[in-house]
Amino acid sequence: MSTNPFIDNSPELQPYWEAAAQGRFLLPRCRQCTRAHWYPRGVCPHCLSTDIEAQEASGRGVVYSWTAHPAAPTAAAGTPHHVPAFVTLDEGPTLLTNIVGVTADAMAIGLRVQVTCAPEPGRAPVPLFRLA
């Protein structure tokens, strides 16, 4: 079990946290209807089956929507920072995330992105994305 206080230690989520800590991105996929979904949970949101498996994901997707927010007060103008966005994965699900290492003026709907699960000190190893 994790000692990171940001991580839910429930057994059904553990494989996802462990993979993310290793820089890998897993998606839950239903064995019944074969559809992937996000966020990890024990019941398929499409068909209500409990026969879920964790599968390695491509980590590729497209920006569905994004928003600008002010950078941290200490960041210089034009400095890359996190941009909140919805990303639709090549496997189908759409998730709320952050695009990292980019300025808002470089963002656009339809841009290709790639997952990065590099953990930051004091934070859970959640999937973030960078421009592909």
Side-chain angles (χ1 to χ4, degrees), residues 29 42 71 73 89 131:
R29 182 173 298 278
L89 301 170
L131 297 182

Side-chain angles (χ1 to χ4, degrees), residues 40-86:
R41 52 194 164 231
V43 176
C44 174
H46 306 292
C47 73
L48 304 179
S49 170
T50 57
D51 192 7
I52 307 294
E53 65 181 330
Q55 288 191 338
E56 194 84 25
S58 70
R60 292 185 299 270
V62 63
V63 174
Y64 175 80
S65 181
W66 65 277
T67 188
H69 69 86
T74 57
T79 301
H81 58 282
H82 293 206
V83 175
F86 280 100

Side-chain angles (χ1 to χ4, degrees), residues 3-76:
T3 58
N4 187 322
F6 297 103
I7 295 178
D8 179 342
N9 286 317
S10 64
E12 66 187 20
L13 296 179
Q14 202 60 37
Y16 301 94
W17 292 124
E18 289 171 2
Q22 298 167 5
R24 298 172 31 244
F25 181 48
L26 300 181
L27 273 178
R29 182 173 298 278
C30 177
R31 288 185 180 115
Q32 186 69 36
C33 71
T34 71
R35 293 175 69 183
H37 58 271
W38 186 259
Y39 58 91
R41 52 194 164 231
V43 176
C44 174
H46 306 292
C47 73
L48 304 179
S49 170
T50 57
D51 192 7
I52 307 294
E53 65 181 330
Q55 288 191 338
E56 194 84 25
S58 70
R60 292 185 299 270
V62 63
V63 174
Y64 175 80
S65 181
W66 65 277
T67 188
H69 69 86
T74 57

